[in-house]
């Protein structure tokens, strides 16, 4: 099939490369000229495990193309995936201006029947609006608008694409459903579940899933808070809960709070939708509030660890992105923690495994190219992300300070082992 991905960011690029790897001819389009020119040379703009190899392999096989020419790419394709960003507006609604810009382009290039797929996360009823825009008397029977939400985790996006738990296709059109099912057949044959729902259901499945996962994380974070008061290890609680198959063990890892390009934005957008349709999603509202305030609890904890003395004390962050396996800083908890600590007078150093320098945090913080330099003379090491390279550190070797303290926000170490090694160690919920 001839496919066009409009928007070559995390979602468009990963999905496009994976579709081409299944044997389809795919053009990934972007308005950004640098991104496309680099991609044509096999240079991938984002850090995602295995993506560079996948792109290069399919470029060589001439199944994967990159272009800035939106109109021609649309004309040549049978299926068009809309993968542009849908950031949060000031009023918490999803900003759909990029989506509608793309729809206008599609409208003026509908030269034959095409399936228009929203892969970007769009509020429920957006598909209806897109259909209305495209529905002119010249375009009758020339298109179907389908919702096919993505469930790709950054850092594991290729695996999530190739082995999805489910493929959701929202359309009432038999023709479109048949074509979409055929497109995903290689994955269905490997055992992935395929469900066909109404378009609105598919749109809501995406928000409902992300809000539920965000709730699960927030729930265990709040359990961690009470565990700290009661001298209980939250991991015992999570394990005991997770063994109940009705609950399940995944997404019960406590940490600095959820961040990233999806959970914060999608929970906010879901609240906007619920307001529009006069429904009170009180659980999701509480989840947003709890997560937004989590950094304050963490700052209090750091305050206790440092006995409220911050002035000129060196604090090292190991990892600043919103989680391991990505170079994405969007809504990372570090973006709230670091400015607060700087304001209190601390000196911040950090080491980021992706190697990318996050200059936009503040000029006052120092980026080190290795763990040793970042931790040298530090009084407090904060393990902020769960990269493998942070899991077996010899703290005594990387820092000679007898008073060194380690605040492990991802609970990568065993408190009893750390006690044996005489390291002043603090985790979350234990
Ligand atoms: C996607 C989805 O769009 C979002 O709704 C979902 O919840 C998360 O994933 P993502 O792929 O992370 O977003 O966005 P980003 O990495 O910002 O990529 C979007 C790309 O679209 C950018 O490269 C941008 O240049 C491009 N773009 C934007 C266009 O090509 N045309 C436009 O009109 C606007
Ligand atoms: C998410 C969705 O999981 C994915 O299906 C898609 O919709 C895009 O958004 P992503 O944001 O890339 O993926 O990462 P994810 O692994 O879901 O983690 C999101 C945030 O939750 C991170 O900040 C992570 O550190 C945090 N998290 C996750 C926890 O704190 N504890 C957990 O147990 C799991």
């Amino acid at each position: 099939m001839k496919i066009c991905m409009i928007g070559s960011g995390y979602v468009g690029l990963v999905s496009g490369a994976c579709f081409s790897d299944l044997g389809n001819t795919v053009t990934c389009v972007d308005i950004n000229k640098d991104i496309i020119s680099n991609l044509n040379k096999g240079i991938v703009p984002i850090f995602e495990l295995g993506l560079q190899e996948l792109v290069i392999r399919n470029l060589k096989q001439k199944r994967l193309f990159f272009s800035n020419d939106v109109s021609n790419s649309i004309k040549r394709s049978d299926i068009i995936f809309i993968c542009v960003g849908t950031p949060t507006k000031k009023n918490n609604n999803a900003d759909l201006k990029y989506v509608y810009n793309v729809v206008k382009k599609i409208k003026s290039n509908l030269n034959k029947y095409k399936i228009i797929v929203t892969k970007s996360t769009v509020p429920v009823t957006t598909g209806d609006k897109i259909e209305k825009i495209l529905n002119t008397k010249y375009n009758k029977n020339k298109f179907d608008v389908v919702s096919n939400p993505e469930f790709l985790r950054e850092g594991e996006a290729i695996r999530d694409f190739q082995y999805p738990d489910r493929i959701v296709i929202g359309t009432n059109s038999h023709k479109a459903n048949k074509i979409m099912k055929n497109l995903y057949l290689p994955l269905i044959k490997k055992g992935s579940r395929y469900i066909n729902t109404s378009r609105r259901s598919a749109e809501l499945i995406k928000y409902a899933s992300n809000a539920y996962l965000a709730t699960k994380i927030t729930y265990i974070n709040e359990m961690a808070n009470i565990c700290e008061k009661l001298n209980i290890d939250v991991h015992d609680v999570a394990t005991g809960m997770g063994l109940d198959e009705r609950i399940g063990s995944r997404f019960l890892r406590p940490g600095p709070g959820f961040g990233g390009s999806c959970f914060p934005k999608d929970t906010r957008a879901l609240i906007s939708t619920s307001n529009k349709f006069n429904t009170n999603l009180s659980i999701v509202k509480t989840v947003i509030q709890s997560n937004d305030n989590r950094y304050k609890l963490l700052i209090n904890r750091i305050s206790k660890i440092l006995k409220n003395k911050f002035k000129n004390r060196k604090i090292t962050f190991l990892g600043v992105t919103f989680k391991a396996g990505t170079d994405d800083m969007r809504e990372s908890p570090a973006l709230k923690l670091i400015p607060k600590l700087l304001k209190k007078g601390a000196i911040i150093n950090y080491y980021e495994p992706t190697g990318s320098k996050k200059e936009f945090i503040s000029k006052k913080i120092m980026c080190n190219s290795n763990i040793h330099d970042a931790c040298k003379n530090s009084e407090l090491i904060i393990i902020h992300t769960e990269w493998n390279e942070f899991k077996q550190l010899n703290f005594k070797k990387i820092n000679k300070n007898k008073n060194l303290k380690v605040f492990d926000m991802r609970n990568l170490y065993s408190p009893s082992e750390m006690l044996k090694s005489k390291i002043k160690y603090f985790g979350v919920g234990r």
Side-chain angles (χ1 to χ4, degrees), residues 150-154 206 210 217 251-253 257-259 262-263 322-323 410:
E150 53 84 16
F151 302 105
L152 310 176
R153 283 166 303 164
E154 288 179 22
K206 168 69 192 222
N210 273 359
I217 296 165
F251 277 63
L252 280 180
R253 281 178 283 118
F258 61 78
C262 283
F263 288 174
F322 76 98
K323 65 169 198 178
R410 302 285 179 167

Side-chain angles (χ1 to χ4, degrees), residues 6-12 29-32 35 83-86 98 101-102 120-121 150 206 261-262 265-266 330:
I6 306 188
S8 303
Y10 281 90
V11 172
V29 182
D30 206 286
I31 45 169
N32 186 316
I35 290 183
C83 305
V84 291
T86 50
Y98 302 122
N101 281 346
V102 172
S120 289
T121 306
E150 53 84 16
K206 168 69 192 222
S261 69
C262 283
K265 145 179 104 52
D266 293 348
R330 286 180 278 186

